[in-house]
């Protein structure tokens, strides 16, 4: 039984926003399609019927696919053609995509097909909507797409459930497709002309994975401004680098916005007042240049967000049905290069947030730089303190440097050189969440390191905002008195970052949203 408080979201083509997509992904919602879509959907299916009535040969309707596009298929074999297409493309491998990813894929596919450029019946979309609302999620392997001709293999696994093939996940249980359909009162469907191809072509998998990476990166950015501010406090760093006059002299938008957040988060700090007349001239770059580095990350996150939102609203299958003219045109909207390149840019930002954080951790470990006890523990020598936690942060940051290598520059031709340049967008997008998890781990080490440093400065207090962050951390992780089993503390803190626990404390309301 559905939760009576579950919110229904109406999907309107070309009106998907990033906040709406976030809600689809993470919230307890159902979806429905704007009824105004039906007329255009039905008109596109009628255009397909007209092609068959007129005896025309059109790619994707009565031909083979890829290199077999010149092979004409008899009308009585068209339903079998669509079934064969779906089954032959179910070649994915690797771990299954999780429920969040599948929910987003379903919503993106529904909204794209509902625009009426695909020649697919409304009944097929009703199945996808029911899958979403009933929590029957197609089992989609995560590997096997090169991001051109659409996300063929993963979307085939999504589509196989419609015809009663493959597997589905229902309430955490993996079931054969037909059994899963029966659980929600459906029978397998027979796909009509072009419908299998419309389902398989498209960039919805790479786009969904890219959006998931973006949403996690937003949590990382919010956490980065907080923990970076905490490290400034723990090391008794200067607040001068955040002065608005410095930012205005350069004019970089992201830098200016990030400096504003730092000034707001650090405002009212007794720790800062305590060293107003110290002899230190300048701080290391990892403290002093945070507006410049995080600002550049923010600028590129905003760029990626624009591309991802645009693609979420796109028609990306092939061929494209134009009902007004009665034309069905073959092109290349399924090529996911926009997602690939924007994902590569976002990967750089995720990696840099972690790399900068790791350098601040190293600074705090070094008593000659931070003025704090060596490795942030009393009685160092007997106690190793945060020494190996910093090693973990270095390992995670290093792994991200390898993962940040651009995926879009690689291309392996497929389909006997018919598809001779591909985007690799699906991997480009998929690795973002792995990278974000790594950076969340690095930031977790810094949160506990900086909190330890601030506690060493007692009775001095930090700013009111950072006091709240400290209090939240100390709910789960106590002050490091002496060496103890530390992994669980790091995992708990990493989860706080990953899930956006600190977002409401980050003063991001002073920051123009990454996503709007």
């Amino acid at each position: 039984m559905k939760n009576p408080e579950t919110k229904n979201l109406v999907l309107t083509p070309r009106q998907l926003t990033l906040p709406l997509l976030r809600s689809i992904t993470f919230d307890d919602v159902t979806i429905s399609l704007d009824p105004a879509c039906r007329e255009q959907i039905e008109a596109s299916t009628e255009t397909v019927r007209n092609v068959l009535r007129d005896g025309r040969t059109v790619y994707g309707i009565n031909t083979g696919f890829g290199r077999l596009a010149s092979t004409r298929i008899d009308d009585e074999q068209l339903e079998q053609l669509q079934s064969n297409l779906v089954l032959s493309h179910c070649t994915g491998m690797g771990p299954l995509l999780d429920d969040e990813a599948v929910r987003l894929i379903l919503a993106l596919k529904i909204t794209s097909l509902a625009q009426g450029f695909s020649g697919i019946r409304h009944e097929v979309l009703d199945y996808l909507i029911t899958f979403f609302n009933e929590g029957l999620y197609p089992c989609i392997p995560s590997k096997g797409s090169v991001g051109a001709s659409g996300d063929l293999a993963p979307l085939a696994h999504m589509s196989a459930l419609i015809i009663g093939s493959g597997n589905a996940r229902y309430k955490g249980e993996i079931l054969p497709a037909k059994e899963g359909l029966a659980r929600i009162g459906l029978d397998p469907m027979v796909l009509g002309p072009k419908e299998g191809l419309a389902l398989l072509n498209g960039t919805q998998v790479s786009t969904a994975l890219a959006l998931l990476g973006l949403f996690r990166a937003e949590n990382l950015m919010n956490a980065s401004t907080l923990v970076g501010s905490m490290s400034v406090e723990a090391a008794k760093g200067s607040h001068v680098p955040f002065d608005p006059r410095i930012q205005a002299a350069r004019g970089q938008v992201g830098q200016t916005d990030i400096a504003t957040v730092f000034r707001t988060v650090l405002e009212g700090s007794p720790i800062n007042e305590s060293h107003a007349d110290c002899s230190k001239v300048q701080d290391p770059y990892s403290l002093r240049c945070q507006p410049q580095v995080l600002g550049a990350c923010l600028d590129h996150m905003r760029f990626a967000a624009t591309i991802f939102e645009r693609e979420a609203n796109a028609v990306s299958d092939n061929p494209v049905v134009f009902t007004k003219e009665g034309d069905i045109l073959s092109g290349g909207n399924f090529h996911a290069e926009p997602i690939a390149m924007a994902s590569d840019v976002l990967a750089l930002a995720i990696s840099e947030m972690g790399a900068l954080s790791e350098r601040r951790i190293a600074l705090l470990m070094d008593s000659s730089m931070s003025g704090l006890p060596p490795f942030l523990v009393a009685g160092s020598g007997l106690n190793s303190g945060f020494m190996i936690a910093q090693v973990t942060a270095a390992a995670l940051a290093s792994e991200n440097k390898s993962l940040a290598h651009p995926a879009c520059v690689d291309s392996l031709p497929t389909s006997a050189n018919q598809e001779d340049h591909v985007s690799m967008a699906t991997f480009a997008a998929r690795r973002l969440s792995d990278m974000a998890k790594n950076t969340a781990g690095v930031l977790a080490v810094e949160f506990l390191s900086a909190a330890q440093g601030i506690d060493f400065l007692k009775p001095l207090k930090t700013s009111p905002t950072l006091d709240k962050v400290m209090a939240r951390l100390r709910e789960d992780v106590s002050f490091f008195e002496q060496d103890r089993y530390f992994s669980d503390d790091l995992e708990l803190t990493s989860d706080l970052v990953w899930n956006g626990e600190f977002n409401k404390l980050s003063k991001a309301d002073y920051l123009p949203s990454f996503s709007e």
Side-chain angles (χ1 to χ4, degrees):
M1 182 178 295
K2 288 291 181 183
N3 183 344
E5 297 182 1
T6 298
K7 181 180 180 182
N8 182 71
L9 300 178
V10 178
L11 303 184
T12 302
R14 298 283 180 177
Q15 293 185 29
L16 296 181
T17 64
L18 291 168
L20 177 64
L21 291 165
R22 260 193 231 96
S23 186
I24 287 168
T25 307
F26 298 118
D27 296 340
D28 179 17
V29 299
T30 58
I31 59 172
S32 59
L33 196 56
D34 186 340
C37 299
R38 183 177 287 273
E39 182 179 355
Q40 187 65 21
I41 292 169
E42 292 176 349
S44 75
T45 58
E46 184 62 25
T47 302
V48 171
R49 294 189 191 102
N50 289 338
V51 165
L52 297 174
R53 280 195 291 263
D54 295 344
R56 294 156 55 193
T57 301
V58 176
Y59 173 71
I61 295 179
N62 50 13
T63 71
F65 307 102
R67 189 65 179 268
L68 303 175
S70 60
T71 302
R72 172 70 186 257
I73 308 299
D74 293 338
D75 286 358
E76 60 270 18
Q77 295 179 307
L78 295 184
E79 289 181 352
Q80 184 66 46
L81 174 69
Q82 298 303 309
S83 176
N84 288 352
L85 176 68
V86 172
L87 296 175
S88 67
H89 284 61
C90 288
T91 59
M93 300 179 72
L96 299 179
L97 297 179
D98 62 23
D99 290 351
E100 291 172 347
V102 175
R103 286 163 61 84
L104 192 49
I105 291 165
L106 289 170
L108 293 177
K109 184 51 114 175
I110 291 162
T111 313
S112 177
L113 295 175
Q115 296 187 48
F117 290 97
S118 301
I120 192 167
R121 290 169 295 157
H122 200 288
E123 289 82 354
V124 181
L125 303 190
D126 289 342
Y127 264 52
L128 297 178
I129 292 169
T130 303
F131 294 167
F132 184 105
N133 291 340
E134 295 296 328
L136 181 69
Y137 301 125
C139 289
I140 303 177
S142 57
K143 299 182 182 183
S145 173
V146 296
S149 284
D151 292 309
L152 293 173
L155 287 174
H157 285 277
M158 179 203 76
S159 307
L161 180 57
I162 298 172
I163 64 174
S165 295
N167 296 305
R169 187 165 51 235
Y170 184 65
K171 298 181 179 179
E173 183 182 1
I174 303 294
L175 302 170
K178 289 182 181 178
E179 183 178 344
L181 290 173
R183 292 274 185 103
I184 62 171
L186 294 178
D187 294 316
M189 176 183 284
V190 176
L191 296 175
K194 194 184 178 299
E195 290 181 338
L197 186 60
L199 288 163
L200 268 58
N201 271 176
T203 63
Q204 287 77 36
V205 173
S206 52
T207 303
L209 296 175
L211 286 164
L212 284 170
L214 175 69
F215 299 153
R216 298 304 185 186
E218 291 175 349
N219 293 347
L220 299 179
M221 178 60 77
N222 283 327
S224 292
T225 58
L226 288 176
V227 75
S229 298
M230 289 174 64
S231 289
V232 169
E233 291 285 87
K236 291 191 175 180
S238 174
H239 294 192
V240 171
F242 313 120
D243 190 293
R245 293 168 292 181
I246 295 175
Q247 326 313 321
R250 191 176 201 183
Q252 290 287 355
V253 175
Q255 173 183 330
T256 300
D257 291 339
I258 291 294
T260 299
V261 175
F262 272 85
R263 289 196 306 275
T264 306
V265 167
L266 290 166
E267 185 178 6
S269 165
I271 290 176
N272 181 59
E273 295 169 3
S274 73
H275 60 91
D277 298 321
C278 71
S279 59
K280 190 187 298 185
V281 177
Q282 288 185 333
D283 294 319
Y285 289 0
S286 60
L287 297 181
R288 183 175 13 136
C289 297
Q290 291 186 82
Q292 289 76 15
V293 178
L294 294 179
C297 293
L298 175 59
D299 285 332
H300 288 85
M301 288 170 63
R302 286 170 169 162
F303 163 75
T306 299
I307 299 297
F308 298 161
E309 184 176 74
R310 195 181 293 159
E311 193 70 7
N313 287 283
V315 172
S316 57
D317 61 332
N318 183 65
V320 183
V321 178
F322 295 94
T323 56
K324 183 177 179 181
E325 301 85 0
D327 292 331
I328 301 178
L329 306 180
S330 288
N333 278 0
F334 48 62
H335 200 295
E337 191 78 353
I339 294 298
M341 296 188 81
S343 294
D344 286 344
V345 166
L346 183 55
L348 297 177
I350 292 172
S351 181
E352 281 294 85
M353 282 187 272
L356 187 65
S357 174
E358 187 278 327
R359 288 293 80 207
R360 291 191 299 265
I361 297 165
L363 183 155
L364 295 174
M365 300 295 109
D366 187 342
S367 59
S368 67
M369 298 284 287
S370 67
L372 297 166
F375 301 109
L376 298 172
V377 66
S380 54
L382 175 62
N383 293 300
S384 294
F386 283 68
M387 180 190 295
I388 307 305
Q390 188 261 327
V391 173
T392 298
L396 295 172
S398 179
E399 184 174 311
N400 273 356
K401 291 175 185 179
S402 295
L403 288 171
H405 184 279
C408 71
V409 298
D410 184 39
S411 177
L412 284 174
T414 59
S415 192
N417 280 314
Q418 177 74 7
E419 296 151 9
D420 57 352
H421 182 278
V422 299
S423 71
M424 300 300 177
T426 320
F427 167 67
R430 175 167 50 82
R431 91 336 186 141
L432 295 175
S433 288
D434 290 339
M435 294 181 69
K437 195 69 173 176
N438 286 339
T439 293
V442 177
L443 294 172
V445 176
E446 187 183 3
F447 266 112
L448 297 185
S449 300
Q452 186 83 355
I454 289 172
D455 277 341
F456 273 125
L457 300 181
K458 289 179 177 178
L460 291 173
K461 296 190 68 174
T462 185
S463 71
T465 295
L466 294 182
D467 256 344
K468 294 177 183 177
V469 178
M470 291 284 293
R472 179 64 189 89
L473 284 169
R474 291 297 179 233
E475 286 179 20
D476 292 337
V477 182
S478 61
F479 179 76
F480 199 100
E481 297 275 1
Q482 59 185 15
D483 286 349
R484 67 184 191 230
Y485 188 85
F486 205 17
S487 179
D488 290 346
D489 293 337
L490 296 173
E491 291 287 0
L492 280 169
T493 310
S494 178
D495 287 345
L496 296 178
V497 175
W498 178 255
N499 294 319
E501 185 78 18
F502 298 115
N503 289 358
K504 293 181 181 179
L505 299 175
S506 69
K507 302 298 182 182
D509 51 324
Y510 291 85
L511 184 68
S513 173
F514 315 132
S515 306
E516 296 179 0

